[in-house]
Amino acid sequence: MLDIAPVFLGIFLAQVSPGPNMMAVSSASLGSGRAPGIATAAGIATGVFLWATLFASGVGALLDAFPQAITAMRFIGGGYLIYLGLKAVRAALTRSQGGPVAASVRTGGRAAYLRGLLVVLTNPKAALMWVAISMYLASSGLSVLGFLAIGLGASASAMVIYGTYALLFSTGIVMRAYARFFRAIEGSFGLVFGAIGAKLVVDGVKELRA
């Protein structure tokens, strides 16, 4: 139990800190409302459990043997975040302020769920986090079922944390502020997504040259 407690603390701190996951939830909640925000959180929670399942099946050892896979993920994840960033910037530049704008960028529940899922599954930092967790727990004698239990707990934690973000960012006062400052907010989302994506791509290029 003492071995597992630091793992959950690290997962919790990673989940509450700003990053692509929080950006995806806040973007969906502000632009499309509470239900798509919750759907994005559900996609993230699903992705967290999928990562845990993969590492319980031995993917961690595979990534250790083939670090090029992480490099490839940097390009894929970076490219996807750049795509989301360009999409947000385009919306900011081509739409006007006001109520009709929010409707014009609405995302359906299924699309929001898939976006949350893809943001997690293409994030090399998520893979590296689970590599660290699996290495930390390697000497503890934890069974596959135990590892999956940790994954289930991390998934539930993600749903609670990002679901809370979805509720906060879809409140009336926040939505009204978003409608008023739509272009600035979407532009900011686009720049942040793009910056994170660009950094991942640059890191991937550096790894290829190393």
Side-chain angles (χ1 to χ4, degrees), residues 2 9 46 67-68 89-90 92 105-107 114 120 124 143 157 161 170 172 175 177-178 188 209:
L2 291 177
L9 178 60
T46 302
Q68 300 89 344
V89 170
R90 180 176 179 272
V105 294
R106 286 190 183 278
T107 302
L114 290 175
V120 175
S143 66
S157 173
I161 291 170
S170 60
M175 293 289 285
Y178 171 77
S188 298
R209 292 178 175 177

Side-chain angles (χ1 to χ4, degrees), residues 11-77:
I11 291 172
F12 173 79
L13 292 175
Q15 290 174 346
V16 298
S17 62
N21 294 346
M22 190 188 81
M23 293 291 296
V25 171
S26 58
S27 177
S29 301
L30 285 169
S32 304
R34 183 165 299 172
I38 298 272
T40 304
I44 292 170
T46 302
V48 169
F49 186 69
L50 286 177
W51 273 123
T53 302
L54 288 172
F55 276 84
S57 304
V59 169
L62 187 64
L63 290 179
D64 281 338
F66 299 98
Q68 300 89 344
I70 295 291
T71 302
M73 285 187 63
R74 294 193 193 281
F75 286 108
I76 295 171

